[in-house]
């Protein structure tokens, strides 16, 4: 006759306890309010959505019904706060920070450029141009009226110039030069005598990297000796593109340069024209 283990009943009791424990766990409802390990994957469409008890959607991430992928953060009243992509437009991957002004809920405070991937869109920033003592000159040779330098932050430079020339008329020339690049004549035009000539200068940043430093020079001259010409700057700003036609061409890049950090401003820049403010005994 086979020997029966003395602890057989204890083993049976332990087995029954484990079966009851497993059966209880199988019937337990898993916790749905936290994730301790692993990732949540939303793919092939669909969104993760958070909303208030009133049904206002305050957070969405995933693919919109329009087909765009993005992140959408809204305030408790439903107004947009921060979006990457757009839940209204299709295939729009811009980043936008929206105003909470109830009177202008669709006002964008900060954004990248719609048509140029490498530049800032808003806010607009000024171009630092400063007058020289030759803002008014009697010379028939080119004289610097305004000069300045700064990093390229936006896709387009936009400035407004007003020039008055006396008898014989005059000419104005606007030049830009990015670090490491040759000078580019942005505009050169005649100014008739006896009238203010207004000119809007619009220049996309062709071939220029974001934060690459750019020098700007506004020159003018008289067509007749002994006459007088004056050029005033109404504004000079860096702005976003208004249409795809204003999008600047891409820079020529090598793979290492594309990943390199933005270089600091050059240590030695070309001599600046003498500024208009001088000591009293000049």
């Amino acid at each position: 006759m086979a020997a029966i283990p003395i602890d057989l009943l204890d083993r049976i009791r332990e087995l029954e306890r484990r079966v009851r424990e497993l059966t209880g766990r199988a019937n337990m409802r898993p916790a749905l309010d936290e994730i301790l390990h692993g990732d949540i994957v939303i793919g092939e469409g669909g969104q993760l959505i958070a909303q208030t008890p009133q049904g206002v959607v305050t957070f969405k991430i995933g693919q919109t019904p329009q087909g765009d992928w993005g992140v959408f953060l809204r305030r408790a009243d439903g107004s947009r706060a921060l979006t990457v992509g757009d839940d209204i437009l299709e295939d729009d991957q811009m980043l936008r920070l929206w105003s909470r002004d109830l009177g202008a809920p669709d006002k964008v405070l900060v954004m990248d450029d719609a048509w140029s991937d490498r530049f800032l869109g808003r806010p607009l920033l000024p171009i630092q141009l400063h007058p020289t003592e030759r803002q008014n000159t009697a010379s028939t040779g080119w004289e610097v009226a305004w000069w300045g330098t700064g990093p390229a932050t936006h896709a387009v430079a936009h400035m407004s110039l007003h020039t008055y020339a006396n008898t014989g008329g005059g000419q104005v020339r606007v030049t830009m030069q990015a670090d490491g690049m040759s000078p580019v004549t942005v505009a050169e035009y005649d100014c008739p005598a006896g009238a203010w000539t207004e000119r809007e200068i619009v220049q996309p940043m062709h071939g220029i990297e974001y934060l690459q430093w750019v020098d700007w020079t506004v020159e003018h001259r008289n067509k007749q000796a002994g006459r007088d010409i004056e050029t005033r700057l109404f504004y000079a700003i860096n702005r976003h593109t208004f249409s795809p036609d204003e999008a600047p061409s891409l820079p020529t890049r090598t793979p290492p340069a594309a990943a390199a950090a933005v270089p600091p401003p050059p240590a030695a820049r070309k001599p600046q024209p003498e500024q208009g403010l001088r000591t009293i005994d000049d």
Side-chain angles (χ1 to χ4, degrees):
M1 181 177 178
I4 300 175
I6 298 176
D7 62 344
L8 179 58
L9 295 177
D10 292 336
R11 293 183 183 184
I12 293 174
R13 293 189 188 97
E14 177 64 18
L15 181 60
E16 290 177 341
R17 186 188 66 79
R18 293 190 178 186
V19 170
R20 288 194 302 270
E21 182 179 346
L22 290 174
T23 302
R25 289 185 176 180
N27 293 327
M28 288 175 58
R29 183 177 180 181
L32 300 178
D33 59 351
E34 62 179 341
I35 299 171
L36 300 179
H37 301 286
D39 301 325
I40 294 178
V41 178
I42 301 175
E44 300 181 5
Q47 296 177 310
L48 176 65
I49 297 176
Q51 64 183 30
T52 68
Q54 293 75 31
V56 177
V57 175
T58 58
F59 175 78
K60 291 192 296 185
I61 184 170
Q63 187 178 28
T64 69
Q66 292 77 18
D68 195 22
W69 289 83
V71 179
F72 318 107
L73 182 64
R74 293 177 178 265
R75 302 179 181 88
D77 61 1
S79 62
R80 286 175 288 190
L82 177 67
T83 59
V84 179
D86 201 304
D87 51 359
I88 297 177
L89 303 177
E90 182 179 351
D91 193 23
D92 182 354
Q93 288 292 297
M94 288 181 65
L95 183 149
R96 297 179 179 92
L97 178 65
W98 303 81
S99 169
R100 67 174 185 268
D101 182 359
L102 297 179
D106 293 331
K107 182 183 296 182
V108 180
L109 301 178
V110 179
M111 70 180 189
D112 51 4
D113 195 284
W115 309 109
S116 181
D117 295 342
R118 68 186 184 275
F119 283 110
L120 177 66
R122 292 183 188 172
L124 308 185
L125 296 175
I127 300 174
Q128 295 295 323
L129 288 179
H130 308 281
T132 73
E133 63 179 0
R134 295 175 295 281
Q135 181 187 357
N136 183 299
T137 182
S139 174
T140 56
W142 288 111
E143 296 287 353
V144 176
W146 295 80
W147 186 90
T149 186
T153 54
H154 293 66
V156 178
H158 192 159
M159 63 185 69
S160 176
L161 297 173
H162 290 226
T163 301
Y164 188 90
N166 285 322
T167 304
Q171 290 180 306
V172 174
R173 181 171 65 189
V174 180
T175 306
M176 63 176 286
Q177 182 175 12
D179 281 340
M181 301 174 66
S182 299
V184 174
T185 299
V186 174
E188 185 172 339
Y189 54 93
D190 293 334
C191 301
W196 284 98
T197 300
E198 303 177 9
R199 183 62 62 96
E200 296 284 323
I201 308 296
V202 176
Q203 177 63 30
M205 297 290 98
H206 293 303
I208 297 175
E209 293 283 7
Y210 176 66
L211 295 186
Q212 185 174 352
W213 281 65
V214 181
D215 296 340
W216 292 92
T217 306
V218 178
E219 301 170 283
H220 57 184
R221 66 181 179 183
N222 294 284
K223 290 186 176 180
Q224 290 186 10
R227 303 304 178 181
D228 187 72
I229 187 171
E230 178 180 348
T231 298
R232 299 178 182 178
L233 178 72
F234 274 34
Y235 62 80
I237 58 172
N238 291 297
R239 66 163 173 83
H240 57 81
T241 56
F242 290 163
S243 67
D245 295 338
E246 289 188 335
S249 60
L250 291 173
T252 301
R253 298 168 174 166
T254 58
V262 176
R269 304 192 63 81
K270 67 181 183 182
Q272 301 182 15
E274 184 179 354
Q275 303 298 304
L277 296 179
R278 304 180 301 282
T279 56
I280 294 176
D281 56 354
D282 257 0

